[in-house]
Amino acid sequence: MTTRIDLRGLLPEELAQLAVELGEGAYRGQQLFQWLHRRRVAGLEAMTDLPRVFRSRLAGQAVLPPVEVKNRLVADTGLTRKLLLRLADGELVECVLMSYKDGRRRHTACLSSQVGCAMGCAFCATGQGGFRRNLTPGEIILQALALVQDVQQEEPGARLSNIVFMGMGEPLLNYRAVLKAVRIFAHPEGWGISHRRITISTCGLVPQIRRLAGERPALELAVSLHAATNELRERLMPINRRYPLEELIPACRYYSRLTGRRVTFEYALIAGVNDRRDDARRLAGLLRGVLAFINLIPLNPVPGSPYKGVSQRKAELFASWLQEAGLAAAVRESRGRDIAAACGQLRSSTGWEVY
Ligand code: SAH
Ligand code: SF4
């Protein structure tokens, strides 16, 4: 069996090349791209301005995998939804949409980059399940499509305003596919979501952060820090043995110098582990001179993990300690906890029966 190409994962110039190979003009590539990513039709039949022979030749070479929602959960009075999608090979992946009502309604899609994750962070449900495989660009876009279709049933015309790669997996270990999906999201003929509204979150892979710093237009970078000493960070995040803080922080500084962007540091507050005044002091020392914003979040509960989160009040107090030390920090609202859709709670295949 020959594997057919997923049309959704191709850039306009690749679609143009495919059109030429199939005996059509290159301009067909742009038409196809618009059908796929602006109008987001479900199949080739709907692409009515393309010649029938071209569509049938395309069908012989390429596929357009359907959105297959296996399960769906909604929380926060309809403002957070989580979908479990079935991929063509039967693997399952989760994605989340967070909607905001302030002023014009905004929708942020939280997408997965891998099925599972190999990084094994001690506080993360995805990490506990191990790694299955990388997602393709088409599968990354399929998640955004599924989320938009879901929300459009309630709000026709709803659009994605932001994308964050904070679902399952480590996006910088699937660098090429993630960046290709980003180009398709950002393309003005496609989804038209500005690079400034697309965030890559990483556990701290130093060479890839340095590589990402050179991408133009630049993306937003979030780094999962969670600890201000190597000793603690190693315990929480095995990757710290490979890339300790004395390599990670200069890479972040390099990122902001090259891109002019502030780097966001994610810091999940764990009761009795990283939430004391001393921890705040060390964190402030570590990030001195870095163009940084610190997102604080009380750790979300993960079954089987010994770690517990802190109260909202404690998180606010920790934020005030950082602010006193001159850092920009805020407590982030946690979404979807009661449907296990919050940070670190995604784990697809086994999760849905027990939630
Ligand atoms: N692998 C990437 C992106 C996916 S994880 C990364 O680690 O950055 C998305 C975010 O959720 C990361 O900041 C991660 O550290 C955080 N996270 C993981 N488990 C969590 C938990 N139990 N509570 C709060 N945040 C968690
Ligand atoms: Fe992987 Fe990120 Fe979870 Fe760590 S926090 S196990 S890197 S998904």
Side-chain angles (χ1 to χ4, degrees):
M1 194 187 86
T2 54
T3 40
R4 289 184 293 167
I5 330 158
D6 179 351
L7 282 180
R8 227 177 254 119
L10 298 183
L11 290 161
E13 54 270 29
E14 293 171 315
L15 290 168
Q17 195 186 336
L18 183 62
V20 171
E21 279 164 24
L22 297 178
E24 284 287 326
Y27 70 99
R28 296 285 185 205
Q30 195 179 1
Q31 270 179 307
L32 261 171
F33 191 76
Q34 288 182 352
W35 279 117
L36 292 165
H37 301 292
R38 187 181 284 177
R39 298 195 232 190
R40 298 175 208 137
V41 293
L44 295 169
E45 327 70 61
M47 303 182 182
T48 45
D49 61 356
L50 298 179
R52 202 177 295 269
V53 276
F54 176 46
R55 280 185 273 157
S56 75
R57 280 189 203 136
L58 264 178
Q61 301 256 333
V63 283
L64 203 52
V67 171
E68 223 183 302
V69 179
K70 278 230 13 170
N71 215 331
R72 172 181 186 274
L73 287 170
V74 179
D76 305 326
T77 62
L79 291 178
T80 305
R81 67 197 70 215
K82 172 168 90 161
L83 300 179
L84 178 69
L85 303 181
R86 189 182 181 280
L87 305 175
D89 64 352
E91 289 288 1
L92 299 169
V93 76
E94 292 186 9
C95 51
V96 178
L97 189 75
M98 292 164 288
S99 303
Y100 301 86
K101 271 202 291 204
D102 45 329
R104 204 167 57 86
R105 230 172 118 107
R106 290 180 301 120
H107 301 279
T108 293
C110 177
L111 305 183
S112 297
S113 54
Q114 301 182 311
V115 185
C117 184
M119 298 290 92
C121 301
F123 47 79
C124 175
T126 308
Q128 287 173 1
F131 174 72
R132 305 270 309 170
R133 70 169 172 82
N134 275 333
L135 293 176
T136 64
E139 289 169 336
I140 294 171
I141 290 157
L142 191 71
Q143 298 171 60
L145 186 62
L147 291 169
V148 155
Q149 284 176 356
D150 198 272
V151 72
Q152 281 182 343
Q153 289 181 9
E154 287 154 33
E155 189 192 327
R159 299 165 48 108
L160 293 186
S161 35
N162 296 71
I163 290 180
V164 296
F165 283 91
M166 292 189 185
M168 302 163 71
E170 169 49 51
L172 294 186
L173 283 180
N174 189 13
Y175 194 100
R176 281 181 55 175
V178 167
L179 264 284
K180 193 167 184 196
V182 163
R183 292 221 172 81
I184 292 171
F185 284 133
H187 202 289
E189 304 284 331
W191 291 70
I193 301 169
S194 151
H195 285 84
R196 288 185 165 269
R197 297 180 182 276
I198 302 179
T199 303
I200 308 272
S201 178
T202 177
C203 63
L205 297 159
V206 166
Q208 288 89 333
I209 291 174
R210 289 182 174 274
R211 179 173 167 200
L212 195 68
E215 300 284 351
R216 290 297 173 273
L219 298 169
E220 293 297 310
L221 176 69
V223 174
S224 301
L225 194 58
H226 307 313
T229 64
N230 281 324
E231 190 229 338
L232 177 59
R233 197 163 188 271
E234 252 168 43
R235 256 198 292 147
L236 299 174
M237 305 179 72
I239 191 66
N240 196 75
R241 269 176 236 139
R242 185 109 156 257
Y243 302 115
L245 292 170
E246 58 274 19
E247 290 180 36
L248 177 59
I249 301 302
C252 297
R253 201 174 278 128
Y254 177 79
Y255 190 88
S256 64
R257 201 172 56 236
L258 241 68
T259 61
R261 302 287 170 83
R262 190 157 75 160
V263 174
T264 299
F265 290 90
E266 307 286 334
Y267 193 95
L269 286 158
I270 312 175
V273 174
N274 65 358
D275 64 341
R276 291 155 306 176
R277 194 165 191 142
D278 247 11
D279 297 304
R281 197 178 42 76
R282 281 197 207 97
L283 185 56
L286 183 71
L287 296 181
R288 190 151 296 136
V290 183
L291 198 56
F293 186 87
I294 301 163
N295 258 335
L296 298 169
I297 179 173
L299 186 86
N300 291 309
V302 164
S305 155
Y307 298 115
K308 301 269 178 296
V310 302
S311 68
Q312 190 69 18
R313 264 190 66 199
K314 181 66 198 266
E316 302 286 353
L317 181 64
F318 197 87
S320 72
W321 292 335
L322 294 178
Q323 287 154 0
E324 276 165 30
L327 290 186
V331 180
R332 197 153 47 104
E333 166 198 27
S334 186
R335 284 291 191 91
R337 270 196 193 180
D338 47 343
I339 54 168
C343 296
Q345 295 185 315
L346 304 185
R347 58 177 171 167
S348 72
S349 48
T350 55
W352 293 74
E353 310 84 72
V354 299
Y355 293 149

